[in-house]
Amino acid sequence: MSCSRRDFLKQSVASVAAAAMPAATFVLLTPEEANAMVEESVRRWIFLVDTEKCTGCGLCVKACKIENEIPYDAPVSRTWVERYVVTKDGQTHIDSPNAGRDGFTTGAIRGEEIDPENIEKAFFVPKLCNQCDNPPCVQVCPVGATYQTEDGVVLVDQKWCIGCGYCIMACPYGVRFFNPVTKTAEKCNFCYHRISKGKEAACVQACPFDARRMGDLKDPNDPVTQIVMTERVQVLKDEYGTKPQVFYLGLDEKVR
Amino acid sequence: MNPDLVVHGAEWTVKELFVYPNEFIYWSIQIVMYPYMTGLVAGAFVLSSLYHVFGQKDLKEIAQFSLVFSLALLPVAAVPLLLHLQQPMRAIEPLLTPHFTSAIAAFGIVFSTYALIVVSEIWFVYRQYFVEQVHALAKQPGIGNAMRRLVYRALTMGAYEVGDKAIATDHKAAKILAAIGIPVACFLHGYAGFIFGSVKANALWMSPLMPVIFIMSAVVSGIALCMLTYIVIMEWQAFRNRRRGGVHKASEIRGAETEVISKATRYLLGFLIAAISLEILDLIFRGYTAMKSWDILRSVMYGKDFINIFVLQYTLGNLVPFVLLMLPKPTIRRTVVALILVLFGVFMMRWNVVIGGQAFSLSFSGYMHYHLPIIPHSVETFKEGLFGALSVLALPFVLFWIINKFVPSLRRDADTG
């Protein structure tokens, strides 16, 4: 059999190309799987915080730190609880000692006792990443290490983040920080590893009062979605145009 | 807590009133150094282009020097960024997977484009000199001269043609590159301003004027540094010639120096006026529109940072040198004082933008105070401390000393362009 050099090279290239093709090329997809790949996601994760129900116990912060392996005593946290005390003279006193992890066991705010008679109103506000629809942190990441999933959650690739801190600067909510262990940007991701397996986020599960709930905006029958659609809900700092997806019930105008 | 698990920023941030738990001064001294050094690069280049492009003949000598000096400053502009990264080993990633919606992603591209322009321009300006050196060193014995000759041979890149036509082509190429270089230099620095100006979360930074303010103050600082270094070198030459009795008389050098400096001063003043006007405009606009953030901004600017902004930056860094330079019968000594103050003023402007922008909480209900680490006790407190910043400041002078060995920027004996 004769084989010219040209034919030999041609056939070599073809066989190398064929060998390089992964077996996955030939996997058959179910119609649902194929649909999920080409059409938009079936889900949009949202979060609902009912500030009327929050007692500031701090179990959510504890659960979050343990679940997501954020050093327990480091002064940073993926979620935190703020306490607001508005006094009769119109002043607002805010604090969040240890991110609210250990609850609010004293009436003093930064060492200053406030006379209970003088209090007009007081409440707690849990905070976490808003998983914005228009996330500025994703916009400014120079390497694409932080990105938005199809179901709306913003994630950080710990192996690709260069630690420039631009995303931390860009977030108007102050939810981002540097993880002291990985030295990369860190933030709440609605416990993506849990919710994508059908489990509840750690803080949602830990909350004894149902102040934290999660839902799917694309499912009209979802109880959380129904609340967001039918009741008067509020979001934080909508003036930044970030389109936050954490909704609040009973949010006071004093909340920053 | 494990001492290794220090939260970035916690060491130098002191919080006052209510600040979100995760807020710290994440961008510290090295991010002050970054726009400062880039500004010096851009400014030095613009000064050199005033001669190469616009034919300001009186600036010829300082133009040559500024061009070489901007090459020495160039690599240093990237060093602060490298020092502040939490993952410096991944610094190449913005070039591998640039995410172009981010202002930082373009840094590598803008920076290398600019570097190429500067290096090529220097090559065209000095090619004739390289060729001359190759021929001159051929006759001299010794291994040192042989090595030098090898370096010069490499620098010529094989282009030995030095006829009138070839030299004319060189000059033309240098002029074109200098012309392209001006917008690129402005872009390099205006873009540093854009990095800050586009952060909508930061009430102090967010302003479309930010890039323009950065460019103007960059040119001011670049011209000031070139003038200052030039004066120091000329004084040194005059001093040496007085002692050894060199080819040029000290008075001759002093005369030429005064001439150049008074011309460069005029440009410096022009850019200084532009920079200050824009900054004042920005300030007035913020006060007049009094958006939600104005309460906290005002308390920072007129209260906590009053000394830094109004005393150190505007008065000592802008007003005093302005008066010193405007006074009749300028002297070299007074000019030196004014130039040092101008450089200090621009540094304070960078400081007040970067650190001042993080002096208040995103909640608008509290403040953060920055304490610059002085004595380092860890890699981080060195990198992002006084000594890290001083190393960055010293580096361009070391580089200039090395580059100047091969590309003499202040040759008074030969004509190079």
XYZ file of all heavy atoms in Angstrom, chain A residues 73-77 80 82 94 110 127 138-144 158-164 166 168-172 174-175 177-178 182-183 237 239-240 256, chain B residues 1 5-8 17-18 20-22 24 26-27 84-87 90 93-94 97-99 101-105 195 198-201 205 292 358 362-365:
662
model
N -13.652 33.532 65.240
C -13.380 34.766 65.983
C -12.888 35.916 65.117
O -12.609 36.990 65.620
C -12.372 34.482 67.098
C -13.019 33.675 68.209
O -14.214 33.927 68.487
O -12.353 32.785 68.757
N -12.754 35.674 63.838
C -12.328 36.774 62.962
C -13.444 37.808 62.885
O -14.625 37.449 62.849
C -12.007 36.232 61.565
N -13.091 39.095 62.851
C -14.136 40.136 62.887
C -14.829 40.344 61.542
O -15.155 41.458 61.174
C -13.349 41.391 63.295
C -11.980 41.159 62.762
C -11.740 39.682 62.793
N -15.020 39.280 60.791
C -15.710 39.376 59.503
C -16.761 38.273 59.442
O -16.626 37.252 60.107
C -14.722 39.199 58.314
C -13.907 40.448 58.093
C -13.820 37.996 58.525
N -17.799 38.494 58.660
C -18.847 37.484 58.596
C -19.656 37.640 57.311
O -19.848 38.749 56.833
C -19.775 37.618 59.805
O -20.727 36.591 59.784
N -24.736 39.194 59.067
C -24.651 39.799 60.387
C -26.012 40.378 60.755
O -26.914 40.469 59.920
C -23.559 40.856 60.448
C -23.789 42.100 59.638
C -24.312 43.277 60.081
C -23.476 42.298 58.255
N -24.345 44.190 59.063
C -23.841 43.622 57.928
C -22.916 41.494 57.269
C -23.679 44.158 56.647
C -22.753 42.017 55.994
C -23.134 43.334 55.693
N -27.867 43.670 62.716
C -27.678 45.018 63.253
C -28.816 45.335 64.228
O -29.953 44.926 64.002
C -27.705 46.046 62.107
C -26.518 45.923 61.174
C -26.683 46.727 59.882
O -27.687 47.460 59.756
O -25.808 46.607 59.011
N -26.783 52.539 66.420
C -26.700 51.253 65.705
C -25.476 50.500 66.195
O -24.417 51.102 66.440
C -26.548 51.469 64.177
C -27.446 52.617 63.695
C -26.845 50.195 63.410
C -27.129 53.077 62.285
N -22.061 50.246 72.283
C -20.656 50.696 72.365
C -20.358 51.301 73.732
O -19.775 52.367 73.863
C -20.322 51.704 71.254
C -19.996 51.051 69.923
C -19.651 52.093 68.890
N -20.777 52.978 68.634
C -21.783 52.668 67.832
N -21.769 51.529 67.172
N -22.792 53.494 67.664
N -28.543 41.171 57.881
C -28.007 41.562 56.573
C -27.222 40.395 55.977
O -26.618 39.597 56.699
C -27.068 42.762 56.734
C -27.743 44.040 57.223
C -27.995 44.997 56.078
C -28.630 46.299 56.543
N -27.636 47.349 56.776
N -19.503 41.974 40.307
C -19.208 41.175 39.121
C -18.663 42.082 38.014
O -17.713 41.739 37.316
C -20.470 40.423 38.639
C -20.231 39.756 37.292
C -20.908 39.404 39.664
N -19.254 43.270 37.912
C -18.817 44.215 36.887
C -17.340 44.569 37.040
O -16.614 44.652 36.054
C -19.662 45.495 36.971
C -19.333 46.507 35.898
C -20.073 47.836 36.101
O -20.349 48.239 37.220
N -20.388 48.482 35.017
N -16.879 44.767 38.273
C -15.529 45.297 38.455
C -14.444 44.241 38.604
O -13.263 44.577 38.594
C -15.439 46.255 39.673
C -16.404 47.406 39.516
C -15.652 45.517 40.969
N -14.807 42.972 38.730
C -13.767 41.946 38.900
C -12.902 41.885 37.646
O -13.403 41.614 36.561
C -14.371 40.580 39.175
S -13.104 39.298 39.309
N -11.586 42.152 37.765
C -10.763 42.238 36.558
C -10.491 40.886 35.888
O -10.070 40.860 34.742
C -9.455 42.855 37.058
C -9.421 42.578 38.507
C -10.829 42.469 38.978
N -10.697 39.792 36.604
C -10.361 38.489 36.031
C -11.566 37.572 35.883
O -11.431 36.423 35.483
C -9.283 37.776 36.884
C -7.993 38.566 36.856
C -9.747 37.562 38.305
N -12.740 38.074 36.216
C -13.935 37.229 36.101
C -14.010 36.148 37.163
O -14.662 35.134 36.962
N -12.555 30.889 44.365
C -11.422 31.096 45.289
C -10.085 30.761 44.647
O -9.036 31.184 45.115
C -11.599 30.228 46.552
C -12.909 30.420 47.266
C -12.945 31.708 48.073
O -12.030 32.507 48.013
N -14.033 31.930 48.802
N -10.119 29.966 43.598
C -8.854 29.570 42.972
C -8.410 30.570 41.919
O -7.313 30.452 41.378
C -9.010 28.182 42.329
C -9.225 27.076 43.329
C -8.862 25.739 42.701
C -8.905 24.624 43.716
N -10.283 24.296 44.137
N -9.257 31.525 41.570
C -8.896 32.452 40.490
C -8.832 33.914 40.959
O -8.258 34.752 40.273
C -9.879 32.288 39.319
C -9.338 32.792 38.015
C -9.768 33.870 37.315
C -8.238 32.252 37.262
N -9.010 34.036 36.191
C -8.063 33.057 36.118
C -7.371 31.165 37.456
C -7.073 32.823 35.174
C -6.388 30.938 36.510
C -6.251 31.755 35.384
N -9.422 34.194 42.125
C -9.426 35.562 42.651
C -7.990 36.013 42.935
O -7.214 35.278 43.526
C -10.254 35.597 43.935
S -10.116 37.127 44.853
N -7.657 37.249 42.475
C -6.296 37.734 42.692
C -6.175 38.576 43.960
O -5.091 39.016 44.314
C -5.784 38.557 41.480
C -6.659 39.788 41.222
C -5.706 37.692 40.237
C -6.104 40.723 40.156
N -7.307 38.841 44.597
C -7.261 39.587 45.854
C -6.961 41.057 45.688
O -6.213 41.640 46.468
N -7.544 41.685 44.655
C -7.281 43.117 44.454
C -8.207 43.974 45.310
O -7.903 45.123 45.587
C -7.432 43.495 42.982
S -9.106 43.354 42.330
N -11.165 45.103 44.560
C -12.033 46.035 43.829
C -13.514 45.706 44.083
O -14.339 46.617 44.219
C -11.715 45.969 42.335
C -12.048 47.225 41.545
C -12.380 48.415 42.167
C -12.009 47.210 40.150
C -12.654 49.548 41.436
C -12.284 48.348 39.410
C -12.620 49.516 40.056
O -12.902 50.645 39.324
N -14.752 44.439 46.742
C -15.101 44.858 48.101
C -15.454 46.346 48.090
O -16.410 46.782 48.723
C -13.921 44.592 49.059
C -13.566 43.108 49.046
C -14.251 45.074 50.461
C -12.397 42.739 49.933
N -14.666 47.109 47.314
C -14.906 48.543 47.213
C -16.207 48.838 46.473
O -16.871 49.834 46.742
C -13.767 49.208 46.422
C -12.471 49.209 47.148
S -12.628 50.233 48.590
C -11.515 49.423 49.671
N -16.552 47.988 45.510
C -17.696 48.266 44.644
C -19.031 47.931 45.294
O -20.065 48.399 44.839
C -17.551 47.493 43.340
N -19.017 47.108 46.326
C -20.286 46.678 46.932
C -20.813 47.756 47.873
O -20.163 48.109 48.842
C -20.089 45.377 47.698
S -21.579 44.898 48.599
N -22.007 48.300 47.587
C -22.532 49.366 48.457
C -23.028 48.843 49.804
O -23.337 49.624 50.685
C -23.715 49.936 47.666
C -23.731 49.232 46.356
C -22.916 47.997 46.479
N -21.378 46.477 51.743
C -20.303 46.039 52.642
C -20.384 44.570 53.003
O -20.011 44.185 54.105
N -20.874 43.746 52.071
C -21.004 42.328 52.416
C -19.717 41.555 52.130
O -19.548 40.435 52.598
C -22.170 41.642 51.673
C -23.480 42.320 51.990
C -21.936 41.570 50.185
N -15.552 40.745 52.012
C -14.340 40.900 52.822
C -13.306 39.911 52.309
O -13.611 39.073 51.452
C -14.643 40.655 54.298
C -15.281 39.310 54.584
C -14.509 38.219 54.950
C -16.647 39.141 54.476
C -15.097 36.987 55.209
C -17.247 37.910 54.723
C -16.474 36.829 55.085
N -12.090 40.027 52.826
C -11.064 39.044 52.465
C -11.118 37.885 53.452
O -11.046 38.096 54.663
C -9.664 39.657 52.479
C -9.330 40.411 51.227
C -8.923 41.725 51.272
C -9.420 39.791 49.984
C -8.608 42.418 50.111
C -9.111 40.474 48.822
C -8.708 41.792 48.884
N -8.096 31.908 52.940
C -7.781 31.759 51.517
C -7.166 33.021 50.921
O -6.639 32.989 49.815
C -9.046 31.428 50.707
O -9.949 32.534 50.828
C -9.726 30.184 51.228
N -7.237 34.143 51.640
C -6.728 35.432 51.137
C -7.392 35.816 49.816
O -6.748 36.335 48.905
C -5.203 35.406 50.948
C -4.437 34.990 52.171
C -4.192 36.161 53.094
C -3.446 35.727 54.340
N -3.639 36.647 55.453
N -30.950 50.139 49.846
C -30.188 51.025 48.958
C -30.479 50.828 47.471
O -29.564 50.560 46.682
C -28.685 50.813 49.192
C -28.255 51.070 50.617
C -26.746 50.999 50.734
C -26.314 51.171 52.177
N -24.885 51.157 52.370
N -31.078 52.998 45.443
C -30.596 54.141 44.660
C -29.312 53.820 43.892
O -28.936 54.545 42.980
C -30.399 55.368 45.563
C -29.279 55.273 46.578
C -29.731 54.696 47.919
O -30.748 53.967 47.949
O -29.059 54.964 48.935
N -28.651 52.732 44.250
C -27.422 52.381 43.528
C -27.698 51.602 42.244
O -26.765 51.275 41.510
C -26.485 51.573 44.428
C -25.877 52.397 45.536
C -26.358 52.317 46.835
C -24.823 53.262 45.278
C -25.807 53.087 47.850
C -24.260 54.028 46.283
C -24.753 53.938 47.566
O -24.198 54.704 48.570
N -29.768 51.577 57.358
C -28.767 51.986 56.380
C -28.286 50.794 55.577
O -28.074 49.754 56.094
C -27.567 52.631 57.094
C -27.955 53.782 57.983
C -28.617 54.856 57.152
N -29.002 56.017 57.917
C -28.195 57.038 58.167
N -26.965 57.024 57.770
N -28.640 58.065 58.845
N -7.094 33.798 68.912
C -7.171 33.549 67.463
C -5.786 33.335 66.883
O -4.821 33.969 67.316
C -7.835 34.757 66.775
C -8.385 34.432 65.427
S -9.327 35.826 64.781
C -8.098 36.674 63.841
N -4.217 34.254 61.058
C -5.528 34.539 60.485
C -5.929 35.992 60.674
O -7.023 36.294 61.111
C -6.580 33.622 61.116
C -6.436 32.157 60.730
C -7.561 31.354 61.331
C -6.430 31.993 59.227
N -5.006 36.882 60.400
C -5.327 38.294 60.552
C -6.188 38.727 59.374
O -5.900 38.420 58.229
C -4.039 39.131 60.598
C -4.375 40.614 60.695
C -3.184 38.705 61.769
N -7.262 39.413 59.686
C -8.135 39.915 58.629
C -7.456 41.100 57.966
O -6.980 42.009 58.652
C -9.495 40.331 59.220
C -10.330 41.055 58.184
C -10.222 39.114 59.730
N -7.395 41.067 56.643
C -6.733 42.144 55.917
C -7.400 43.482 56.248
O -8.605 43.609 56.130
C -6.797 41.882 54.418
C -6.112 42.941 53.611
N -4.749 43.058 53.566
C -6.584 43.942 52.852
C -4.410 44.077 52.800
N -5.522 44.637 52.347
N -18.014 54.835 65.909
C -19.479 54.740 65.752
C -19.856 53.495 64.953
O -19.142 52.488 65.030
C -20.045 56.021 65.123
C -19.792 57.291 65.955
C -20.245 58.528 65.191
C -20.493 57.207 67.301
N -20.932 53.542 64.142
C -21.344 52.291 63.496
C -20.737 52.117 62.103
O -20.964 52.913 61.194
C -22.863 52.176 63.390
C -23.272 50.922 62.671
C -23.039 49.677 63.247
C -23.823 50.961 61.399
C -23.355 48.509 62.584
C -24.156 49.792 60.727
C -23.922 48.566 61.318
N -20.161 48.847 59.230
C -20.514 47.449 58.950
C -19.367 46.531 59.379
O -18.192 46.901 59.236
C -20.779 47.240 57.459
C -22.000 47.948 56.904
C -21.928 48.617 55.693
C -23.219 47.920 57.565
C -23.034 49.259 55.158
C -24.336 48.557 57.038
C -24.243 49.226 55.840
O -25.333 49.860 55.313
N -19.698 45.317 59.865
C -18.630 44.454 60.391
C -17.500 44.193 59.380
O -16.340 44.130 59.770
C -19.357 43.156 60.721
C -20.785 43.502 60.836
C -21.036 44.711 60.012
N -17.835 44.039 58.096
C -16.802 43.660 57.126
C -16.032 44.851 56.567
O -15.158 44.664 55.733
C -17.437 42.910 55.953
C -18.071 41.622 56.404
O -17.657 41.045 57.400
N -19.084 41.183 55.686
N -13.312 47.559 56.337
C -12.001 47.960 56.830
C -11.391 48.847 55.761
O -11.933 48.956 54.671
C -11.109 46.734 57.071
C -11.564 45.871 58.203
C -12.319 44.743 57.957
C -11.257 46.204 59.506
C -12.779 43.951 59.000
C -11.718 45.427 60.553
C -12.475 44.291 60.302
N -9.395 48.654 53.185
C -8.789 47.580 52.399
C -7.732 48.126 51.447
O -6.777 47.448 51.126
C -9.863 46.835 51.594
C -10.748 45.952 52.448
C -12.052 46.308 52.747
C -10.263 44.762 52.957
C -12.863 45.500 53.531
C -11.052 43.941 53.740
C -12.354 44.311 54.019
O -13.134 43.509 54.789
N -7.961 49.320 50.944
C -6.987 49.921 50.017
C -6.147 50.910 50.810
O -6.619 51.981 51.166
C -7.721 50.612 48.862
C -8.190 49.636 47.828
C -8.074 48.269 47.876
C -8.828 49.934 46.582
N -8.610 47.707 46.744
C -9.076 48.706 45.940
C -9.204 51.106 45.955
C -9.691 48.627 44.689
C -9.816 51.024 44.716
C -10.054 49.798 44.092
N 0.056 45.199 46.785
C -1.196 45.215 47.544
C -2.066 43.997 47.263
O -2.965 43.693 48.035
C -1.970 46.527 47.310
C -3.272 46.362 46.616
N -3.353 46.210 45.262
C -4.539 46.280 47.087
C -4.625 46.049 44.933
N -5.362 46.087 46.001
N -1.792 43.263 46.179
C -2.600 42.075 45.868
C -2.501 41.057 47.007
O -1.430 40.801 47.527
C -2.125 41.404 44.581
C -2.505 42.029 43.246
C -2.170 41.056 42.128
C -3.978 42.376 43.194
N -3.640 40.460 47.340
C -3.617 39.411 48.347
C -3.076 38.114 47.755
O -2.600 37.248 48.471
C -5.036 39.189 48.879
C -5.544 40.314 49.743
C -4.774 40.415 51.030
O -4.883 39.571 51.904
N -3.943 41.444 51.145
N -3.167 37.988 46.449
C -2.643 36.798 45.758
C -1.682 37.267 44.670
O -1.976 37.165 43.478
C -3.794 36.002 45.130
C -4.760 35.382 46.117
C -4.187 34.147 46.788
O -3.114 33.673 46.436
N -4.902 33.630 47.769
N -0.872 35.477 41.402
C -1.869 35.388 40.324
C -1.941 36.695 39.527
O -2.903 36.922 38.797
C -3.249 35.087 40.917
C -3.277 33.773 41.693
C -4.671 33.524 42.265
N -4.683 32.332 43.110
C -5.688 31.986 43.885
N -6.766 32.743 43.925
N -5.634 30.898 44.619
N -3.114 37.006 35.866
C -4.476 36.650 35.432
C -5.246 37.737 34.678
O -5.965 37.416 33.739
C -5.295 36.166 36.623
C -4.907 34.773 37.047
C -5.676 34.321 38.264
O -6.675 34.957 38.614
O -5.267 33.319 38.864
N -5.106 38.999 35.064
C -5.834 40.018 34.280
C -5.454 40.012 32.802
O -6.228 40.476 31.967
C -5.447 41.340 34.945
C -5.086 40.968 36.331
C -4.473 39.604 36.243
N -7.227 36.193 31.570
C -8.693 36.198 31.452
C -9.222 37.586 31.768
O -9.895 37.778 32.774
C -9.336 35.194 32.433
O -8.918 35.548 33.760
C -8.960 33.771 32.144
N -8.892 38.562 30.923
C -9.374 39.914 31.235
C -10.896 39.980 31.174
O -11.506 39.451 30.252
C -8.740 40.773 30.141
C -8.451 39.845 29.029
C -8.179 38.504 29.644
N -11.458 40.596 32.202
C -12.915 40.741 32.253
C -13.175 42.216 31.982
O -13.037 43.056 32.865
C -13.392 40.329 33.649
C -14.868 40.342 33.801
N -15.505 41.088 34.763
C -15.836 39.705 33.116
C -16.809 40.910 34.661
N -17.037 40.073 33.670
N -15.399 44.397 31.591
C -16.280 45.377 32.219
C -15.583 46.015 33.416
O -16.068 46.987 33.969
C -17.603 44.737 32.693
O -17.282 43.674 33.586
C -18.415 44.206 31.526
N -14.440 45.452 33.803
C -13.698 46.004 34.929
C -12.629 46.971 34.448
O -11.897 46.678 33.505
C -13.034 44.882 35.714
O -12.075 45.415 36.590
N -12.531 48.112 35.138
C -11.519 49.089 34.747
C -10.115 48.519 34.940
O -9.208 48.821 34.177
C -11.687 50.366 35.552
N -9.945 47.680 35.949
C -8.602 47.156 36.230
C -8.138 46.196 35.133
O -6.944 46.076 34.879
C -8.560 46.462 37.611
C -8.801 47.487 38.719
C -7.228 45.773 37.845
C -8.700 46.931 40.116
N -9.086 45.525 34.460
C -8.711 44.499 33.481
C -7.840 45.071 32.378
O -6.994 44.383 31.812
C -9.966 43.868 32.892
N -10.762 54.272 37.663
C -10.893 53.166 38.617
C -11.590 53.654 39.880
O -12.456 52.981 40.423
C -9.503 52.571 38.950
C -8.963 51.811 37.747
C -9.575 51.665 40.175
C -7.600 51.207 37.974
N -15.386 55.598 39.068
C -16.521 54.774 38.640
C -17.084 53.910 39.763
O -18.015 53.149 39.544
C -16.096 53.878 37.471
O -15.095 52.986 37.904
N -16.507 53.995 40.956
C -17.042 53.188 42.060
C -18.272 53.883 42.632
O -18.166 54.812 43.423
C -15.968 52.984 43.157
C -16.554 52.217 44.327
C -14.785 52.240 42.596
N -19.439 53.425 42.204
C -20.653 54.124 42.617
C -20.943 53.954 44.101
O -21.657 54.756 44.688
C -21.839 53.675 41.768
C -22.213 52.212 41.889
C -23.371 51.901 40.950
C -23.634 50.403 40.869
N -24.578 50.064 39.801
N -20.374 52.902 44.705
C -20.631 52.673 46.123
C -19.924 53.705 46.990
O -20.283 53.891 48.142
C -20.181 51.267 46.518
N -15.526 59.073 45.924
C -14.841 58.783 44.665
C -15.706 59.058 43.453
O -15.227 59.513 42.423
C -14.392 57.317 44.610
C -13.314 57.003 45.585
C -12.576 57.917 46.275
C -12.865 55.704 45.984
N -11.684 57.251 47.077
C -11.831 55.906 46.927
C -13.225 54.403 45.640
C -11.164 54.842 47.520
C -12.555 53.345 46.225
C -11.539 53.567 47.163
N -27.458 62.710 49.515
C -27.586 61.990 50.782
C -26.245 61.862 51.514
O -26.176 61.932 52.734
C -28.152 60.600 50.467
C -28.577 59.796 51.666
C -29.154 58.468 51.187
C -29.483 57.550 52.334
N -29.945 56.244 51.842
N -12.190 56.101 52.192
C -12.528 54.987 53.079
C -12.617 55.443 54.529
O -12.636 54.627 55.443
C -11.470 53.882 52.954
C -11.394 53.318 51.551
C -10.174 52.426 51.382
O -10.207 51.252 51.728
N -9.092 52.974 50.884
N -19.895 52.844 54.733
C -20.936 52.800 53.709
C -22.309 53.016 54.325
O -23.274 53.319 53.635
C -20.920 51.453 52.987
C -19.692 51.128 52.129
C -19.722 49.664 51.724
C -19.655 52.011 50.902
N -22.404 52.832 55.645
C -23.672 53.057 56.334
C -23.898 54.547 56.581
O -24.967 54.937 57.037
C -23.665 52.321 57.672
O -22.711 52.915 58.533
N -22.900 55.373 56.293
C -22.919 56.813 56.568
C -23.146 57.100 58.054
O -23.571 58.172 58.433
C -24.012 57.538 55.752
C -23.813 57.463 54.256
C -24.885 57.652 53.387
C -22.568 57.223 53.710
C -24.710 57.589 52.005
C -22.381 57.162 52.333
C -23.460 57.341 51.484
N -22.893 56.096 58.902
C -23.153 56.280 60.331
C -21.913 56.117 61.184
O -22.011 56.036 62.405
C -24.193 55.262 60.807
O -25.352 55.358 60.040
